[in-house]
């Protein structure tokens, strides 16, 4: 099994570690493609293993082949790099999101058909044993019909975060390329996608969003938004609620409550407790920690290459999320928070909005839009 890594910085560092720690004799690390690898902290160790480094995928494929190409580059490169790998006979594990636009996502799906290889999208919860068991039971009717799902995340991010990778963070476009980077499309996309994934009609599909109401805000000096609340209607029949912010100043790791006719599925970000299903008859069933096997996506893709099966989360699975992000951009204005409530933590270089953390949590508890809980700061 020959592995190519495209993009060694940012999230790619995790794959560098996994590949350096690999002890399986039938998995060989064929190369790295990253034009900025000269300054990478793992450069010497990677080169000591005899792993060649290239600036472009074309240079790599001129001398090598790959069975699986792992793409951990900025979103606006996903489409062209995934198709390049397919054209050279490689299956692909591409980090989320699939692409910034539906046009690019469609190009990726068309390329899968043309070249006969898959593009898996790295939403790790989709590959998690916990989430797959949950989805199996949802499809089997164990919990009855879905009623509603809600999710909240508060992850403060510094100014450095938005300057990453040459400054594409928080951008709508850069150098003529669509990016649409936001808290909903990138950093916290997992938790929006997961609701859609679990409510899909089959294991490999996700529910589609039919209508939505959205509010988008920003405190940081960026093009796109860093805070949002959504109400979403879906093809599953269940309504979804999503609240997320990079500008609260306080952390609240992902929390969700998925309500069904016969049970509620609860997750409070406690690894010891994990996901718990509370049936309405009083019984409780644990499903484990969804973060226990974060890189199962990698091993699942390796197995998919070996067996010829398709991974559980492909571009098709991720497409409803791409569609929503594009529709959101086209239809929803971005409002700036009132400047008198916006502060800078000089020690962490984090911009935050005074009172936003409490307001966002209150909005989640009551499933309201942010304007309904903190009109004074927006």
């Amino acid at each position: 099994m020959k592995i190519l890594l495209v993009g060694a910085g940012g999230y790619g560092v995790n794959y560098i570690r996994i590949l350096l720690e690999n002890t399986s004799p039938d998995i060989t690390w064929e190369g790295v493609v990253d034009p900025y690898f000269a300054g990478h902290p793992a450069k010497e160790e990677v080169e000591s293993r005899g792993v060649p480094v290239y600036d472009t995928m074309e240079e790599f494929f001129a001398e090598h082949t790959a069975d699986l190409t792992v793409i951990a580059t900025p979103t606006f490169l996903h489409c062209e790099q995934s198709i390049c790998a397919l054209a050279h006979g490689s299956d692909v594990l591409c980090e989320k999101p699939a692409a910034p636009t539906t046009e690019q996502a469609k190009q990726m799906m068309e390329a899968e058909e043309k070249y006969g290889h898959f593009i898996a999208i790295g939403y790790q919860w989709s590959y998690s044993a916990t989430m797959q068991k949950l989805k199996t039971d949802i499809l089997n009717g164990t919990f009855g019909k879905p009623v509603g799902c809600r999710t909240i995340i508060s992850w403060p991010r510094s100014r450095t975060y938005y300057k990453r990778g040459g400054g594409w963070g928080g951008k709508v476009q850069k150098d003529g390329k669509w990016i649409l980077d936001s808290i909903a499309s990138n950093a916290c996309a997992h938790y929006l996608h997961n609701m859609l994934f679990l409510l899909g009609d089959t294991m490999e599909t996700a529910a589609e969003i039919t209508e939505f109401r959205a509010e988008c805000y920003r405190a940081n000096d960026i093009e796109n938004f860093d805070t949002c609340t959504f109400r979403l209607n879906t093809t599953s029949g269940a309504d979804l609620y999503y609240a997320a912010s990079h500008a609260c100043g306080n952390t609240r790791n992902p929390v969700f409550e998925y309500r069904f006719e016969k049970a509620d599925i609860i997750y409070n970000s406690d690894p010891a407790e994990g996901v718990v299903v509370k049936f309405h008859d009083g019984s409780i069933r644990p499903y484990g920690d969804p973060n226990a096997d974060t890189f199962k996506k990698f091993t699942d893709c390796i197995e998919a290459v070996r067996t010829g099966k398709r991974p559980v989360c492909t571009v098709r699975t991720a497409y409803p999320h791409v569609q929503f992000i594009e529709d959101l951009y086209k239809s929803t204005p971005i409002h700036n928070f009132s400047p008198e409530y916006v502060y800078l933590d000089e020690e962490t270089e984090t911009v935050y909005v005074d009172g936003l953390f409490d307001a966002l949590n209150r909005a989640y508890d009551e499933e309201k839009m942010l304007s309904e809980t903190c009109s004074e700061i927006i």
Side-chain angles (χ1 to χ4, degrees):
M1 178 70 61
K2 299 177 180 179
I3 308 295
L4 166 64
L5 174 62
V6 182
Y11 196 80
V13 170
N14 296 291
Y15 287 108
I16 291 280
R17 175 182 54 80
I18 289 169
L19 290 165
L20 285 173
E21 294 173 355
N22 169 58
T23 57
S24 176
D26 62 343
I27 294 177
T28 60
W29 187 4
E30 290 294 298
V32 174
V33 172
D34 191 322
Y36 306 103
F37 196 72
H40 199 284
K43 177 179 180 292
E44 290 187 7
E45 188 173 6
V46 170
E47 291 181 345
S48 72
R49 302 288 185 91
V51 179
V53 179
Y54 297 87
D55 287 345
T56 69
M57 294 177 69
E58 289 77 11
E59 290 172 344
F60 169 85
F61 282 117
E63 299 179 2
H64 302 269
T65 61
D67 299 304
L68 179 66
T69 298
V70 178
I71 296 176
T73 54
T75 309
F76 58 89
L77 298 174
H78 287 182
C79 178
E80 62 182 88
Q81 291 179 337
S82 293
I83 293 174
C84 178
L86 296 181
H88 286 90
S90 177
D91 289 299
V92 175
L93 168 57
C94 177
E95 277 306 316
K96 56 79 191 162
T101 67
T102 55
E103 179 183 1
Q104 291 183 24
K106 289 174 182 176
Q107 291 173 8
M108 294 164 79
M109 289 188 284
E110 290 168 359
E112 286 182 290
E113 292 293 323
K114 178 179 178 179
Y115 295 110
H117 290 279
F118 67 73
I119 303 173
I121 304 302
Y123 283 110
Q124 52 252 30
W125 274 11
S126 296
Y127 301 85
S128 159
T130 292
M131 292 304 176
Q132 290 191 10
K133 174 59 175 160
L134 271 177
K135 187 163 185 177
T136 297
D137 288 346
I138 290 170
L139 292 171
N140 289 339
T142 303
F143 314 127
K145 293 181 180 179
V147 176
C149 302
R150 62 178 177 174
T151 297
I152 185 173
I153 316 100
S154 174
W155 276 352
R157 289 293 185 264
S158 68
R159 287 175 166 176
T160 302
Y161 171 79
Y162 287 109
K163 296 176 182 177
R164 69 194 188 279
W168 59 270
K171 292 281 190 180
V172 171
Q173 286 187 329
K174 180 176 172 60
D175 300 328
K177 295 180 181 290
W178 287 105
I179 299 177
L180 299 181
D181 181 67
S182 72
I183 190 168
S185 69
N186 196 353
C188 297
H190 294 281
Y191 315 109
L192 176 56
H193 165 79
N194 193 64
M195 292 189 284
L196 301 173
F197 172 72
L198 287 180
L199 297 179
D201 290 337
T202 68
M203 186 60 77
E204 295 79 22
T205 59
E208 297 176 13
I209 295 168
T210 55
E211 292 183 297
F212 65 88
R213 180 184 173 191
E215 292 183 357
C216 299
Y217 303 92
R218 65 183 159 219
N220 286 276
D221 183 19
I222 56 176
E223 290 180 358
N224 221 342
F225 58 92
D226 55 33
T227 302
C228 60
T229 47
F230 303 148
R231 286 197 189 116
L232 314 170
N233 305 121
T234 69
T235 51
S236 71
D239 295 336
L240 312 184
Y241 178 86
Y242 178 86
S245 181
H246 284 327
C248 281
N250 299 91
T251 297
R252 185 177 186 184
N253 287 321
V255 167
F256 67 65
E257 179 181 354
Y258 302 159
R259 299 183 299 277
F260 288 75
E261 287 180 321
K262 301 177 184 178
D264 296 329
I265 304 172
I266 308 296
Y267 178 65
N268 292 316
S269 260
D270 182 349
E273 185 175 351
V275 175
V276 176
V277 174
K278 298 182 179 180
F279 288 90
H280 296 167
D281 64 6
S283 60
I284 296 175
R285 184 184 300 176
Y287 276 73
D289 179 11
N291 295 316
D293 46 9
T294 299
F295 284 92
K296 185 171 176 285
K297 56 187 174 184
F298 182 54
T299 55
D300 278 10
C301 284
I302 289 174
E303 185 64 18
V305 174
R306 287 174 172 155
T307 62
K309 295 181 180 179
R310 290 177 69 80
V312 70
C313 185
T314 62
V315 182
R316 179 188 176 206
T317 321
Y319 188 85
H321 176 268
V322 177
Q323 178 75 70
F324 170 66
I325 294 300
E326 184 175 285
D327 290 344
L328 182 70
Y329 167 72
K330 292 177 179 178
S331 65
T332 307
I334 301 171
H335 302 284
N336 293 318
F337 286 105
S338 297
E340 61 266 34
Y341 292 94
V342 178
Y343 293 85
L344 173 65
D345 183 324
E346 295 185 358
E347 182 176 348
T348 63
E349 280 285 295
T350 301
V351 173
Y352 68 95
V353 181
D354 187 35
L356 179 57
F357 184 74
D358 290 340
L360 194 73
N361 281 279
R362 191 161 64 251
Y364 172 75
D365 290 339
E366 300 173 11
E367 295 188 24
K368 290 183 175 180
M369 306 304 285
L370 196 53
S371 62
E372 298 172 310
T373 62
C374 64
S375 58
E376 69 279 2
I377 65 176
I378 57 179

